[in-house]
Amino acid sequence: MAARVIVTTSGKGGVGKTTSTANIAAALAKFGKKVVAIDADVGLRNLDVIMGLENRVVYNFIDVIEKTCKISQALVKDKRVPGLFLLPAAQTRTKDAVNPEQMIALCEELKPDFDFILLDCPAGIEGGFKNAAAGADEALVVTTPEIPAVRDADRIIGMLESMGKSPIRLIINRLRPNMVQDGDMLAKDDILDVLSIDLIGVVPEDENVIRSTNNGEPMTMSLDSPAAHAYLNIAERLLGRDVPLMDLESYAGRGFFSWIKKFFSGGSKKK
Amino acid sequence: MGFLSRLFGSDNGKDSAQRAKNRLQIILINDRTDITPELLENLREEILNVIIKYVDIERSKIAIDFEKEQGATALVANIPILRIKRGGSIAMN
């Protein structure tokens, strides 16, 4: 076994990196893969909480790097899904406690024992991002359909490209099909147009994300919700399966009205 | 009113997504043309060194800068010429 190492990143904070990491990790484990999700956000750890494993954290990956404990002691096994593990971040340390070489060494040590290593990257483009990205071969870039998030994604994609990560694929998160239909939210194709990058999935806005965080259980473990469905699809695409995009328009259900509006406003669109 | 203007595509409140896309495109063009002040200064010096071989210019009134418009970046130089050097055309041959 030699794990694929994938970093989840975004540049901008609050777009759903950690939620995406947790749900994709759980989904991959559900598909029978052995997965470790590493929280690379040293000092502001949250992946443990999103995964609902915060009470089982004893050691963290800084302890592993500093040889305070063995790697097997720091890994938290998720008892709900076989093959799912969390490697937590240190909460009382800073990003300077680790360097890119150490992250690469950590990933190399884990590689033989897993199918997937998912690195949950902190927001920003500084040390924390560089550490997390250093260990990865592939990248998932999370954005939302808003200008600031897409702009930051563009910056991050450029940095990932110059670091030689490949493939780099995009997750469009928190899309509201109703607003897209009304012409009030950037559509999937608008974002792909400006970023020119491969898409791996579109996750619709879904209240169940908040519920699952409240409950400490990734949606892909049990809940049948639109976002859970989208994350399961992303996991399948990571496994190389050809899964069509979800029909998000059916959630919106206002096709005819928006068609009329588009028809009348079509001529004045280009300024 | 809101309903009518949306339906018939008057400017107010219509298609904010299209506006977002337009703005985003311009922002990304600017972000991607990553020109540092040092680079611009070097470029300026080299261009001027070539020009003063042939013409006398007014150094204090030179303006060289990048202008960014929708979809394109242009290098725009405004260099007032005082006079053409007499030997200039001979030197070229």
Side-chain angles (χ1 to χ4, degrees), chain A residues 146-148 150-151 154-155 179-180 182-187 189-191 193-196 257 260-261 264-265 268-271, chain B residues 3-11 13-32 34 70:
Chain A
E146 290 155 298
I147 298 176
V150 178
R151 179 192 204 180
D154 186 70
R155 188 84 204 283
M179 289 192 73
V180 173
D182 288 351
D184 276 328
M185 180 175 266
L186 288 167
D189 290 332
D190 294 334
I191 297 169
D193 260 8
V194 293
L195 290 182
S196 41
F257 185 78
I260 292 183
K261 200 194 77 191
F264 278 104
S265 63
S268 61
K269 253 184 184 172
K270 279 183 186 162
K271 277 196 172 174
Chain B
F3 168 78
L4 282 177
S5 71
R6 287 174 72 85
L7 189 65
F8 292 103
S10 88
D11 267 357
K14 147 226 113 140
D15 240 0
S16 69
Q18 187 58 44
R19 211 170 305 143
K21 190 181 179 186
N22 294 345
R23 289 179 62 206
L24 194 52
Q25 279 169 330
I26 295 163
I27 290 166
L28 292 189
I29 288 164
N30 289 346
D31 286 358
R32 285 170 187 169
D34 189 16
Q70 273 194 12

Short mmCIF file of all heavy atoms in Angstrom, two decimals, chain A residues 146-148 150-151 154-155 179-180 182-187 189-191 193-196 257 260-261 264-265 268-271, chain B residues 3-11 13-32 34 70:
data_model
loop_
_atom_site.label_atom_id
_atom_site.label_comp_id
_atom_site.label_asym_id
_atom_site.label_seq_id
_atom_site.Cartn_x
_atom_site.Cartn_y
_atom_site.Cartn_z
N GLU A 146 -18.34 33.03 -4.57
CA GLU A 146 -18.24 34.45 -4.23
C GLU A 146 -16.88 34.98 -4.67
O GLU A 146 -15.89 34.23 -4.64
CB GLU A 146 -18.39 34.64 -2.72
CG GLU A 146 -19.79 34.37 -2.23
CD GLU A 146 -19.80 33.96 -0.77
OE1 GLU A 146 -19.21 32.93 -0.44
OE2 GLU A 146 -20.38 34.70 0.03
N ILE A 147 -16.83 36.25 -5.02
CA ILE A 147 -15.60 36.81 -5.58
C ILE A 147 -14.38 36.61 -4.66
O ILE A 147 -13.34 36.15 -5.13
CB ILE A 147 -15.78 38.31 -5.93
CG1 ILE A 147 -16.87 38.47 -7.00
CG2 ILE A 147 -14.49 38.91 -6.45
CD1 ILE A 147 -17.19 39.93 -7.33
N PRO A 148 -14.47 36.93 -3.36
CA PRO A 148 -13.25 36.80 -2.55
C PRO A 148 -12.72 35.37 -2.51
O PRO A 148 -11.52 35.15 -2.58
CB PRO A 148 -13.72 37.25 -1.16
CG PRO A 148 -14.94 38.07 -1.39
CD PRO A 148 -15.60 37.49 -2.60
N VAL A 150 -13.16 32.94 -4.76
CA VAL A 150 -12.63 32.52 -6.06
C VAL A 150 -11.29 33.19 -6.32
O VAL A 150 -10.36 32.57 -6.83
CB VAL A 150 -13.63 32.85 -7.20
CG1 VAL A 150 -13.06 32.44 -8.55
CG2 VAL A 150 -14.96 32.13 -6.96
N ARG A 151 -11.18 34.45 -5.93
CA ARG A 151 -9.92 35.15 -6.10
C ARG A 151 -8.80 34.47 -5.32
O ARG A 151 -7.71 34.22 -5.84
CB ARG A 151 -10.08 36.59 -5.61
CG ARG A 151 -8.81 37.37 -5.73
CD ARG A 151 -8.88 38.68 -4.98
NE ARG A 151 -7.94 39.64 -5.55
CZ ARG A 151 -7.80 40.86 -5.10
NH1 ARG A 151 -8.54 41.30 -4.11
NH2 ARG A 151 -6.92 41.66 -5.66
N ASP A 154 -7.75 31.26 -6.88
CA ASP A 154 -6.86 31.48 -8.03
C ASP A 154 -5.41 31.62 -7.58
O ASP A 154 -4.49 31.04 -8.17
CB ASP A 154 -7.29 32.74 -8.78
CG ASP A 154 -6.49 32.93 -10.07
OD1 ASP A 154 -6.70 32.13 -11.00
OD2 ASP A 154 -5.66 33.85 -10.14
N ARG A 155 -5.22 32.36 -6.52
CA ARG A 155 -3.88 32.55 -5.97
C ARG A 155 -3.28 31.23 -5.51
O ARG A 155 -2.13 30.89 -5.81
CB ARG A 155 -3.99 33.53 -4.80
CG ARG A 155 -2.70 34.01 -4.21
CD ARG A 155 -2.14 35.18 -4.98
NE ARG A 155 -0.69 35.29 -4.80
CZ ARG A 155 -0.12 35.79 -3.70
NH1 ARG A 155 -0.86 36.26 -2.72
NH2 ARG A 155 1.18 35.82 -3.59
N MET A 179 -30.39 30.61 -6.38
CA MET A 179 -29.77 31.89 -6.66
C MET A 179 -29.06 31.87 -8.01
O MET A 179 -29.04 32.87 -8.73
CB MET A 179 -28.78 32.28 -5.55
CG MET A 179 -29.47 32.65 -4.26
SD MET A 179 -28.33 33.44 -3.09
CE MET A 179 -28.11 35.05 -3.84
N VAL A 180 -28.48 30.73 -8.35
CA VAL A 180 -27.82 30.61 -9.66
C VAL A 180 -28.87 30.78 -10.77
O VAL A 180 -28.67 31.52 -11.73
CB VAL A 180 -27.10 29.26 -9.80
CG1 VAL A 180 -26.57 29.08 -11.22
CG2 VAL A 180 -25.94 29.17 -8.81
N ASP A 182 -31.60 32.39 -10.62
CA ASP A 182 -32.07 33.77 -10.67
C ASP A 182 -30.99 34.73 -11.16
O ASP A 182 -31.20 35.93 -11.20
CB ASP A 182 -32.54 34.22 -9.28
CG ASP A 182 -33.84 33.56 -8.89
OD1 ASP A 182 -34.45 32.91 -9.78
OD2 ASP A 182 -34.26 33.65 -7.73
N GLY A 183 -29.83 34.19 -11.48
CA GLY A 183 -28.75 35.05 -11.95
C GLY A 183 -28.11 35.85 -10.84
O GLY A 183 -27.49 36.88 -11.08
N ASP A 184 -28.26 35.39 -9.61
CA ASP A 184 -27.71 36.14 -8.49
C ASP A 184 -26.58 35.41 -7.79
O ASP A 184 -26.16 35.80 -6.69
CB ASP A 184 -28.80 36.48 -7.48
CG ASP A 184 -29.55 37.74 -7.89
OD1 ASP A 184 -28.91 38.60 -8.51
OD2 ASP A 184 -30.76 37.83 -7.62
N MET A 185 -26.10 34.34 -8.40
CA MET A 185 -24.91 33.68 -7.85
C MET A 185 -24.09 33.12 -8.99
O MET A 185 -24.65 32.63 -9.97
CB MET A 185 -25.31 32.54 -6.89
CG MET A 185 -24.12 31.82 -6.29
SD MET A 185 -24.56 30.57 -5.06
CE MET A 185 -24.44 31.51 -3.54
N LEU A 186 -22.77 33.25 -8.86
CA LEU A 186 -21.88 32.69 -9.87
C LEU A 186 -22.21 31.21 -10.07
O LEU A 186 -22.35 30.47 -9.11
CB LEU A 186 -20.42 32.81 -9.41
CG LEU A 186 -19.81 34.21 -9.42
CD1 LEU A 186 -18.51 34.22 -8.65
CD2 LEU A 186 -19.60 34.69 -10.85
N ALA A 187 -22.34 30.81 -11.31
CA ALA A 187 -22.64 29.41 -11.61
C ALA A 187 -21.34 28.62 -11.72
O ALA A 187 -20.25 29.20 -11.84
CB ALA A 187 -23.41 29.32 -12.92
N ASP A 189 -20.10 27.00 -14.14
CA ASP A 189 -19.32 27.27 -15.36
C ASP A 189 -18.64 28.64 -15.32
O ASP A 189 -17.58 28.80 -15.90
CB ASP A 189 -20.22 27.16 -16.59
CG ASP A 189 -20.62 25.70 -16.84
OD1 ASP A 189 -19.85 24.81 -16.45
OD2 ASP A 189 -21.70 25.47 -17.41
N ASP A 190 -19.26 29.61 -14.65
CA ASP A 190 -18.61 30.92 -14.50
C ASP A 190 -17.28 30.75 -13.77
O ASP A 190 -16.26 31.32 -14.16
CB ASP A 190 -19.49 31.88 -13.66
CG ASP A 190 -20.78 32.24 -14.37
OD1 ASP A 190 -20.79 32.19 -15.61
OD2 ASP A 190 -21.76 32.57 -13.68
N ILE A 191 -17.32 29.97 -12.70
CA ILE A 191 -16.12 29.79 -11.87
C ILE A 191 -15.06 28.99 -12.63
O ILE A 191 -13.88 29.34 -12.62
CB ILE A 191 -16.50 29.09 -10.54
CG1 ILE A 191 -17.46 29.99 -9.75
CG2 ILE A 191 -15.25 28.79 -9.71
CD1 ILE A 191 -18.10 29.31 -8.57
N ASP A 193 -14.74 28.86 -15.82
CA ASP A 193 -14.25 29.77 -16.87
C ASP A 193 -13.06 30.59 -16.40
O ASP A 193 -12.04 30.66 -17.07
CB ASP A 193 -15.35 30.77 -17.25
CG ASP A 193 -16.07 30.35 -18.50
OD1 ASP A 193 -15.79 29.23 -18.97
OD2 ASP A 193 -16.89 31.14 -19.01
N VAL A 194 -13.21 31.22 -15.25
CA VAL A 194 -12.16 32.14 -14.81
C VAL A 194 -10.98 31.41 -14.18
O VAL A 194 -9.85 31.86 -14.27
CB VAL A 194 -12.69 33.24 -13.85
CG1 VAL A 194 -13.63 34.17 -14.55
CG2 VAL A 194 -13.34 32.64 -12.63
N LEU A 195 -11.23 30.25 -13.57
CA LEU A 195 -10.13 29.55 -12.91
C LEU A 195 -9.42 28.57 -13.83
O LEU A 195 -8.29 28.17 -13.56
CB LEU A 195 -10.62 28.82 -11.66
CG LEU A 195 -11.04 29.69 -10.47
CD1 LEU A 195 -11.46 28.81 -9.30
CD2 LEU A 195 -9.92 30.62 -10.04
N SER A 196 -10.07 28.16 -14.90
CA SER A 196 -9.57 27.10 -15.80
C SER A 196 -8.83 26.00 -15.04
O SER A 196 -7.61 25.91 -15.06
CB SER A 196 -8.73 27.66 -16.95
OG SER A 196 -7.87 28.68 -16.51
N PHE A 257 -39.56 30.01 -15.13
CA PHE A 257 -39.50 31.43 -14.80
C PHE A 257 -38.13 32.01 -15.13
O PHE A 257 -38.01 33.07 -15.73
CB PHE A 257 -39.81 31.61 -13.30
CG PHE A 257 -39.88 33.04 -12.91
CD1 PHE A 257 -41.02 33.78 -13.20
CD2 PHE A 257 -38.82 33.65 -12.27
CE1 PHE A 257 -41.09 35.11 -12.84
CE2 PHE A 257 -38.88 34.98 -11.92
CZ PHE A 257 -40.03 35.71 -12.20
N ILE A 260 -37.61 32.55 -18.86
CA ILE A 260 -38.23 33.78 -19.38
C ILE A 260 -37.37 35.00 -19.06
O ILE A 260 -37.08 35.84 -19.89
CB ILE A 260 -39.64 33.98 -18.75
CG1 ILE A 260 -40.57 32.90 -19.26
CG2 ILE A 260 -40.19 35.36 -19.04
CD1 ILE A 260 -41.98 33.04 -18.75
N LYS A 261 -36.89 35.03 -17.82
CA LYS A 261 -36.08 36.18 -17.40
C LYS A 261 -34.80 36.26 -18.24
O LYS A 261 -34.42 37.32 -18.70
CB LYS A 261 -35.73 36.02 -15.93
CG LYS A 261 -35.34 37.33 -15.29
CD LYS A 261 -34.71 37.10 -13.96
CE LYS A 261 -33.30 36.64 -14.20
NZ LYS A 261 -32.66 36.14 -12.99
N PHE A 264 -35.47 37.62 -21.75
CA PHE A 264 -35.66 39.07 -21.88
C PHE A 264 -34.39 39.87 -21.60
O PHE A 264 -34.19 40.94 -22.13
CB PHE A 264 -36.77 39.54 -20.92
CG PHE A 264 -38.13 39.31 -21.49
CD1 PHE A 264 -38.91 38.26 -21.03
CD2 PHE A 264 -38.62 40.11 -22.51
CE1 PHE A 264 -40.16 38.03 -21.56
CE2 PHE A 264 -39.88 39.88 -23.05
CZ PHE A 264 -40.65 38.83 -22.58
N SER A 265 -33.54 39.34 -20.72
CA SER A 265 -32.37 40.13 -20.34
C SER A 265 -31.13 39.75 -21.14
O SER A 265 -30.09 40.36 -20.99
CB SER A 265 -32.08 39.96 -18.85
OG SER A 265 -31.75 38.61 -18.59
N SER A 268 -28.95 42.54 -23.12
CA SER A 268 -28.21 43.61 -22.44
C SER A 268 -27.14 43.08 -21.51
O SER A 268 -26.61 43.78 -20.69
CB SER A 268 -29.18 44.48 -21.64
OG SER A 268 -29.81 43.67 -20.67
N LYS A 269 -26.85 41.78 -21.64
CA LYS A 269 -25.95 41.16 -20.67
C LYS A 269 -24.51 41.64 -20.81
O LYS A 269 -23.84 41.88 -19.84
CB LYS A 269 -25.97 39.64 -20.83
CG LYS A 269 -26.72 39.01 -19.68
CD LYS A 269 -26.68 37.52 -19.76
CE LYS A 269 -27.53 36.93 -18.64
NZ LYS A 269 -27.66 35.51 -18.78
N LYS A 270 -24.08 41.77 -22.04
CA LYS A 270 -22.67 42.12 -22.23
C LYS A 270 -22.50 43.62 -22.28
O LYS A 270 -23.07 44.29 -23.13
CB LYS A 270 -22.15 41.48 -23.51
CG LYS A 270 -21.78 40.03 -23.27
CD LYS A 270 -21.19 39.40 -24.49
CE LYS A 270 -20.98 37.90 -24.24
NZ LYS A 270 -20.82 37.16 -25.45
N LYS A 271 -21.73 44.11 -21.36
CA LYS A 271 -21.52 45.56 -21.34
C LYS A 271 -20.15 45.88 -21.88
O LYS A 271 -19.20 45.22 -21.55
CB LYS A 271 -21.63 46.05 -19.90
CG LYS A 271 -23.07 46.27 -19.51
CD LYS A 271 -23.16 47.11 -18.25
CE LYS A 271 -24.60 47.49 -17.96
NZ LYS A 271 -24.75 48.17 -16.71
N PHE B 3 -39.93 43.05 -9.05
CA PHE B 3 -40.29 41.90 -9.87
C PHE B 3 -40.19 42.25 -11.36
O PHE B 3 -39.60 41.52 -12.14
CB PHE B 3 -41.72 41.48 -9.52
CG PHE B 3 -42.30 40.49 -10.50
CD1 PHE B 3 -41.94 39.15 -10.44
CD2 PHE B 3 -43.19 40.91 -11.47
CE1 PHE B 3 -42.47 38.25 -11.33
CE2 PHE B 3 -43.72 40.01 -12.38
CZ PHE B 3 -43.36 38.67 -12.30
N LEU B 4 -40.75 43.43 -11.72
CA LEU B 4 -40.75 43.82 -13.14
C LEU B 4 -39.34 44.07 -13.65
O LEU B 4 -38.98 43.62 -14.74
CB LEU B 4 -41.59 45.09 -13.33
CG LEU B 4 -43.10 44.84 -13.33
CD1 LEU B 4 -43.84 46.16 -13.46
CD2 LEU B 4 -43.50 43.88 -14.44
N SER B 5 -38.54 44.77 -12.83
CA SER B 5 -37.21 45.09 -13.32
C SER B 5 -36.37 43.83 -13.47
O SER B 5 -35.54 43.71 -14.35
CB SER B 5 -36.52 46.10 -12.40
OG SER B 5 -36.17 45.48 -11.19
N ARG B 6 -36.64 42.87 -12.58
CA ARG B 6 -35.90 41.61 -12.72
C ARG B 6 -36.37 40.86 -13.96
O ARG B 6 -35.56 40.32 -14.71
CB ARG B 6 -36.11 40.73 -11.49
CG ARG B 6 -35.37 41.25 -10.27
CD ARG B 6 -35.72 40.43 -9.06
NE ARG B 6 -35.11 39.11 -9.14
CZ ARG B 6 -33.87 38.86 -8.74
NH1 ARG B 6 -33.13 39.82 -8.27
NH2 ARG B 6 -33.36 37.66 -8.81
N LEU B 7 -37.67 40.89 -14.15
CA LEU B 7 -38.23 40.13 -15.28
C LEU B 7 -37.73 40.68 -16.60
O LEU B 7 -37.38 39.93 -17.51
CB LEU B 7 -39.76 40.20 -15.21
CG LEU B 7 -40.50 39.29 -16.19
CD1 LEU B 7 -40.23 37.82 -15.86
CD2 LEU B 7 -42.00 39.58 -16.15
N PHE B 8 -37.69 42.00 -16.70
CA PHE B 8 -37.32 42.57 -17.99
C PHE B 8 -35.87 43.03 -18.04
O PHE B 8 -35.47 43.68 -18.99
CB PHE B 8 -38.28 43.72 -18.35
CG PHE B 8 -39.66 43.20 -18.62
CD1 PHE B 8 -40.65 43.34 -17.67
CD2 PHE B 8 -39.95 42.54 -19.80
CE1 PHE B 8 -41.92 42.84 -17.90
CE2 PHE B 8 -41.21 42.03 -20.05
CZ PHE B 8 -42.21 42.18 -19.09
N GLY B 9 -35.14 42.71 -17.01
CA GLY B 9 -33.69 42.91 -17.09
C GLY B 9 -33.27 44.36 -17.09
O GLY B 9 -32.33 44.71 -17.78
N SER B 10 -33.97 45.22 -16.37
CA SER B 10 -33.44 46.58 -16.23
C SER B 10 -32.20 46.50 -15.36
O SER B 10 -31.94 45.51 -14.71
CB SER B 10 -34.48 47.51 -15.62
OG SER B 10 -34.38 47.47 -14.23
N ASP B 11 -31.43 47.56 -15.31
CA ASP B 11 -30.12 47.46 -14.70
C ASP B 11 -30.15 47.20 -13.20
O ASP B 11 -29.26 46.59 -12.65
CB ASP B 11 -29.32 48.74 -14.98
CG ASP B 11 -28.48 48.56 -16.23
OD1 ASP B 11 -28.50 47.44 -16.78
OD2 ASP B 11 -27.84 49.52 -16.65
N GLY B 13 -30.43 45.73 -9.85
CA GLY B 13 -30.56 44.46 -9.16
C GLY B 13 -30.62 43.25 -10.06
O GLY B 13 -30.91 42.16 -9.60
N LYS B 14 -30.31 43.43 -11.33
CA LYS B 14 -30.42 42.29 -12.22
C LYS B 14 -29.08 41.60 -12.39
O LYS B 14 -28.05 42.25 -12.46
CB LYS B 14 -30.99 42.80 -13.54
CG LYS B 14 -30.49 42.09 -14.71
CD LYS B 14 -30.05 42.80 -15.91
CE LYS B 14 -28.59 42.67 -16.14
NZ LYS B 14 -28.21 42.49 -17.49
N ASP B 15 -29.17 40.29 -12.41
CA ASP B 15 -28.00 39.52 -12.79
C ASP B 15 -26.74 39.92 -12.04
O ASP B 15 -25.72 40.24 -12.64
CB ASP B 15 -27.77 39.69 -14.29
CG ASP B 15 -27.85 38.33 -14.98
OD1 ASP B 15 -28.08 37.34 -14.25
OD2 ASP B 15 -27.70 38.27 -16.19
N SER B 16 -26.82 39.90 -10.74
CA SER B 16 -25.60 40.24 -10.01
C SER B 16 -24.51 39.21 -10.26
O SER B 16 -23.33 39.49 -10.08
CB SER B 16 -25.89 40.38 -8.52
OG SER B 16 -26.21 39.13 -7.95
N ALA B 17 -24.90 38.01 -10.68
CA ALA B 17 -23.89 36.98 -10.98
C ALA B 17 -23.03 37.40 -12.16
O ALA B 17 -21.82 37.22 -12.15
CB ALA B 17 -24.57 35.65 -11.28
N GLN B 18 -23.68 37.99 -13.17
CA GLN B 18 -22.91 38.44 -14.34
C GLN B 18 -21.95 39.56 -13.95
O GLN B 18 -20.80 39.59 -14.37
CB GLN B 18 -23.89 38.93 -15.44
CG GLN B 18 -23.20 39.24 -16.76
CD GLN B 18 -22.44 38.04 -17.34
OE1 GLN B 18 -22.94 36.93 -17.35
NE2 GLN B 18 -21.22 38.28 -17.79
N ARG B 19 -22.43 40.43 -13.08
CA ARG B 19 -21.57 41.51 -12.61
C ARG B 19 -20.39 40.93 -11.81
O ARG B 19 -19.25 41.35 -11.95
CB ARG B 19 -22.37 42.48 -11.74
CG ARG B 19 -21.84 43.90 -11.83
CD ARG B 19 -22.81 44.87 -11.16
NE ARG B 19 -24.15 44.77 -11.71
CZ ARG B 19 -25.26 44.88 -10.98
NH1 ARG B 19 -25.18 45.09 -9.69
NH2 ARG B 19 -26.43 44.79 -11.55
N ALA B 20 -20.71 39.92 -11.00
CA ALA B 20 -19.64 39.28 -10.21
C ALA B 20 -18.61 38.66 -11.13
O ALA B 20 -17.40 38.78 -10.90
CB ALA B 20 -20.24 38.21 -9.30
N LYS B 21 -19.08 38.02 -12.18
CA LYS B 21 -18.14 37.37 -13.10
C LYS B 21 -17.25 38.41 -13.79
O LYS B 21 -16.04 38.23 -13.88
CB LYS B 21 -18.90 36.54 -14.14
CG LYS B 21 -17.95 35.67 -14.95
CD LYS B 21 -18.65 34.83 -16.00
CE LYS B 21 -17.63 34.02 -16.78
NZ LYS B 21 -18.23 33.31 -17.91
N ASN B 22 -17.86 39.49 -14.23
CA ASN B 22 -17.08 40.55 -14.88
C ASN B 22 -16.02 41.12 -13.94
O ASN B 22 -14.86 41.29 -14.31
CB ASN B 22 -17.99 41.69 -15.35
CG ASN B 22 -18.92 41.23 -16.46
OD1 ASN B 22 -18.72 40.18 -17.07
ND2 ASN B 22 -19.97 42.00 -16.71
N ARG B 23 -16.46 41.39 -12.70
CA ARG B 23 -15.50 41.94 -11.74
C ARG B 23 -14.38 40.95 -11.47
O ARG B 23 -13.21 41.31 -11.41
CB ARG B 23 -16.22 42.28 -10.42
CG ARG B 23 -17.14 43.49 -10.53
CD ARG B 23 -17.82 43.74 -9.20
NE ARG B 23 -16.87 44.04 -8.14
CZ ARG B 23 -17.11 43.83 -6.84
NH1 ARG B 23 -18.25 43.30 -6.46
NH2 ARG B 23 -16.20 44.14 -5.94
N LEU B 24 -14.78 39.69 -11.30
CA LEU B 24 -13.80 38.64 -11.00
C LEU B 24 -12.76 38.53 -12.11
O LEU B 24 -11.56 38.40 -11.84
CB LEU B 24 -14.55 37.32 -10.84
CG LEU B 24 -13.82 36.15 -10.21
CD1 LEU B 24 -13.19 36.52 -8.88
CD2 LEU B 24 -14.81 35.01 -10.00
N GLN B 25 -13.21 38.59 -13.35
CA GLN B 25 -12.28 38.47 -14.47
C GLN B 25 -11.24 39.59 -14.43
O GLN B 25 -10.05 39.36 -14.63
CB GLN B 25 -13.03 38.48 -15.80
CG GLN B 25 -13.61 37.10 -16.12
CD GLN B 25 -14.57 37.12 -17.29
OE1 GLN B 25 -15.25 38.11 -17.53
NE2 GLN B 25 -14.65 36.01 -18.00
N ILE B 26 -11.72 40.79 -14.15
CA ILE B 26 -10.79 41.93 -14.10
C ILE B 26 -9.83 41.78 -12.92
O ILE B 26 -8.62 42.01 -13.04
CB ILE B 26 -11.58 43.25 -14.01
CG1 ILE B 26 -12.37 43.44 -15.31
CG2 ILE B 26 -10.63 44.42 -13.78
CD1 ILE B 26 -13.47 44.46 -15.20
N ILE B 27 -10.38 41.37 -11.77
CA ILE B 27 -9.53 41.19 -10.58
C ILE B 27 -8.43 40.16 -10.86
O ILE B 27 -7.26 40.37 -10.54
CB ILE B 27 -10.39 40.75 -9.38
CG1 ILE B 27 -11.27 41.90 -8.89
CG2 ILE B 27 -9.51 40.24 -8.24
CD1 ILE B 27 -12.38 41.47 -7.95
N LEU B 28 -8.82 39.06 -11.50
CA LEU B 28 -7.83 37.99 -11.72
C LEU B 28 -6.78 38.41 -12.74
O LEU B 28 -5.61 38.04 -12.62
CB LEU B 28 -8.53 36.70 -12.15
CG LEU B 28 -9.39 36.04 -11.06
CD1 LEU B 28 -9.86 34.67 -11.51
CD2 LEU B 28 -8.65 35.92 -9.75
N ILE B 29 -7.19 39.18 -13.74
CA ILE B 29 -6.20 39.68 -14.71
C ILE B 29 -5.16 40.53 -13.97
O ILE B 29 -3.96 40.36 -14.15
CB ILE B 29 -6.88 40.50 -15.82
CG1 ILE B 29 -7.66 39.56 -16.75
CG2 ILE B 29 -5.84 41.29 -16.62
CD1 ILE B 29 -8.66 40.27 -17.63
N ASN B 30 -5.65 41.39 -13.09
CA ASN B 30 -4.73 42.23 -12.32
C ASN B 30 -3.84 41.40 -11.40
O ASN B 30 -2.64 41.61 -11.32
CB ASN B 30 -5.50 43.26 -11.49
CG ASN B 30 -6.13 44.32 -12.37
OD1 ASN B 30 -5.77 44.44 -13.54
ND2 ASN B 30 -7.05 45.07 -11.81
N ASP B 31 -4.47 40.43 -10.71
CA ASP B 31 -3.70 39.60 -9.78
C ASP B 31 -2.63 38.81 -10.51
O ASP B 31 -1.54 38.58 -9.99
CB ASP B 31 -4.63 38.62 -9.06
CG ASP B 31 -5.47 39.32 -8.00
OD1 ASP B 31 -5.29 40.53 -7.83
OD2 ASP B 31 -6.30 38.64 -7.36
N ARG B 32 -2.97 38.35 -11.70
CA ARG B 32 -2.05 37.44 -12.39
C ARG B 32 -0.89 38.18 -13.04
O ARG B 32 0.17 37.61 -13.24
CB ARG B 32 -2.80 36.62 -13.45
CG ARG B 32 -3.66 35.52 -12.83
CD ARG B 32 -4.57 34.91 -13.87
NE ARG B 32 -5.52 33.96 -13.27
CZ ARG B 32 -6.56 33.46 -13.92
NH1 ARG B 32 -6.76 33.78 -15.19
NH2 ARG B 32 -7.37 32.62 -13.33
N ASP B 34 1.61 39.95 -12.24
CA ASP B 34 2.28 40.26 -10.98
C ASP B 34 3.54 41.06 -11.27
O ASP B 34 4.61 40.51 -11.46
CB ASP B 34 2.59 38.94 -10.28
CG ASP B 34 3.08 39.17 -8.88
OD1 ASP B 34 2.87 40.28 -8.37
OD2 ASP B 34 3.66 38.24 -8.30
N GLN B 70 -10.20 46.02 -19.36
CA GLN B 70 -10.90 44.75 -19.46
C GLN B 70 -10.20 43.81 -20.45
O GLN B 70 -10.07 44.10 -21.62
CB GLN B 70 -12.32 44.97 -19.92
CG GLN B 70 -13.24 45.24 -18.76
CD GLN B 70 -14.69 45.12 -19.15
OE1 GLN B 70 -15.00 44.62 -20.21
NE2 GLN B 70 -15.57 45.56 -18.28
#
